[in-house]
């Protein structure tokens, strides 16, 4: 049994997780969770035992000085909780760490133990991958789930992926088998500019998360950082004719593929987001929240 002393009763909690490493191109996903933690002043309430999940020759501990005393920070995964106020307050359980080196099933079961104990209604795992996408266009973010009913209710894609996977895919499947609604949000990062940070991809993930869970997230300096990042990449591309030509070919391919999306639902979603940012009191679109997951003991969470 997991003991959570000092953690208050949470309001409609959603777990939002991201892991550094293979699932985190440009550090976009981990930066998104770090942004949430910073903006809402998250309080860490738990950390997984580093020796259970990490190979320290792969993810080495770091030594630092504090008040003249040498201390060590071990690679791990930490959980914090933040409350987002407003007309409909909601708590987020933030999970941020490094993709574990071993014992992935035990790792996921431990996270799900926290989710059950805290009454988490849904798990959202953020990821970022390298793709053939131009840096000059909006960052594509796909929302996928293994639950056909959840895909229908929340306008998500039902995952059909086959191939190697990381901890994001493993955690989503673990949630599905445990009866916990789970969604993965994936941002596509241009493979020709994969070095972190990528504030444009981080911003896109946060915008998609806003739409998914009907919350307004303060973005701070991210929009300006995103514009500065794109300007910097523009300048680098302009200095290399081959790169500039390649970017142009990606732009043409992207624009051609998205012509049907230039109207209808795509415009409606963008206009809805604009209204919410202009007036936080504007009610969001009609979405159905997922049902509360069953408890390990089989009790009805709605009872």
């Amino acid at each position: 049994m997991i003991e959570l002393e000092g953690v208050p009763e949470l309001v409609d909690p959603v777990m939002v997780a991201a892991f550094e490493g293979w699932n985190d191109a440009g550090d976009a996903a981990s930066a998104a969770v770090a942004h949430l933690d910073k903006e809402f002043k998250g309080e860490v309430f738990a950390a997984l035992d580093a020796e259970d999940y990490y190979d320290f020759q792969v993810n080495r501990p770091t030594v630092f000085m504090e008040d003249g005393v040498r201390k060590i920070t071990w690679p791990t995964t930490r959980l914090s909780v933040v409350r987002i106020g407003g007309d409909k307050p909601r708590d987020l359980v933030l999970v941020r760490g490094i993709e574990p080196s071993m014992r992935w099933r035990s790792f996921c079961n431990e996270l799900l133990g926290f989710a059950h104990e805290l009454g988490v209604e849904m798990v959202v795992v953020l990821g970022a991958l390298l793709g053939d996408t131009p840096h000059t266009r909006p960052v594509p973010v796909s929302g996928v789930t293994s639950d056909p009913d959840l895909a229908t209710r929340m306008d998500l894609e039902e995952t059909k992926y086959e191939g190697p996977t990381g901890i994001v895919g493993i955690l989503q499947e673990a949630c599905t088998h445990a009866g916990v609604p789970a969604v993965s949000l994936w941002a596509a990062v241009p493979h020709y500019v994969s070095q972190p940070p990528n504030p444009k991809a981080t911003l896109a993930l946060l915008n998609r998360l806003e739409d998914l869970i009907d919350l307004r997230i303060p973005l701070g300096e991210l929009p300006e950082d995103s514009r500065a990042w794109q300007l910097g990449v523009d300048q680098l591309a302009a200095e290399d004719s081959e790169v500039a030509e390649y970017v142009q070919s990606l732009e043409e391919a992207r624009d051609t593929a998205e012509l049907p999306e230039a109207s209808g639902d795509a415009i409606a979603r963008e206009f809805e987001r604009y209204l919410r940012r202009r007036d936080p009191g504007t009610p969001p679109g009609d979405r159905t929240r997922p049902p509360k997951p069953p408890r390990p003991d089989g009790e009805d969470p709605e009872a």
Side-chain angles (χ1 to χ4, degrees), residues 63-73:
V63 178
F64 67 100
M65 300 293 293
E66 185 177 279
D67 299 328
V69 178
R70 289 171 63 84
K71 295 187 177 181
I72 296 176
T73 298

Side-chain angles (χ1 to χ4, degrees), residues 273-294:
R273 182 182 293 122
Y274 164 75
L275 289 178
R276 283 207 304 273
R277 292 206 168 281
R278 185 168 177 264
D279 180 6
T282 301
D286 183 20
R287 288 190 186 84
T288 303
R289 282 186 177 176
K292 292 186 177 181

Side-chain angles (χ1 to χ4, degrees), residues 85-275:
D87 295 334
K88 294 191 301 182
R90 165 168 255 180
D91 291 318
L92 299 183
V93 179
L94 304 180
V95 180
R96 182 185 174 203
I98 304 169
E99 183 177 63
S101 307
M102 51 201 170
R103 303 182 68 224
W104 284 17
R105 284 177 291 187
S106 297
F107 180 87
C108 292
N109 287 337
E110 188 164 356
L111 289 181
L112 283 170
F114 283 108
H116 282 301
E117 191 71 14
L118 293 166
V120 165
E121 296 182 351
M122 181 169 65
V123 174
V124 181
V125 194
L126 307 183
L129 48 81
L130 299 178
D132 294 327
T133 183
H135 72 278
T136 54
R137 298 294 185 264
V139 175
V141 177
S142 57
V144 297
T145 180
S146 299
D147 184 335
D149 294 333
L150 191 62
T152 300
R153 284 198 306 271
M154 305 193 76
D155 191 25
L156 301 166
E157 299 175 30
E158 188 177 351
T159 181
K160 302 295 184 184
Y161 173 76
E162 295 179 312
T165 190
I167 194 62
V168 171
I170 299 300
L171 180 56
Q172 178 168 321
E173 288 306 303
C175 290
T176 299
H177 290 302
V180 180
V183 176
S184 296
L185 299 181
W186 287 95
V189 172
H191 66 83
Y192 58 89
V193 57
S194 59
Q195 306 94 320
N198 189 318
K200 187 172 182 178
T202 296
L203 181 61
L205 281 170
L206 291 173
N207 283 336
R208 187 69 174 86
L209 181 64
E210 281 187 316
D211 293 343
L212 184 71
I213 60 177
D214 288 344
L215 287 177
R216 186 170 184 271
I217 298 171
L219 298 177
E221 298 179 356
L222 268 177
E224 182 60 33
D225 290 344
S226 176
R227 287 189 289 269
W229 176 86
Q230 180 167 323
L231 180 60
V233 180
D234 285 342
Q235 293 172 343
L236 289 174
E239 296 171 1
D240 188 318
S241 59
E242 290 186 0
V243 173
E245 184 177 344
Y246 179 64
V247 171
Q248 183 178 359
S249 69
L250 291 178
E251 291 172 341
E252 292 172 354
R254 173 77 178 273
D255 294 344
T256 300
E258 294 194 347
L259 279 176
E261 293 293 325
S263 60
D265 291 344
I267 292 178
R269 285 194 297 269
E270 288 304 313
F271 185 61
E272 181 181 306
R273 182 182 293 122
Y274 164 75
L275 289 178

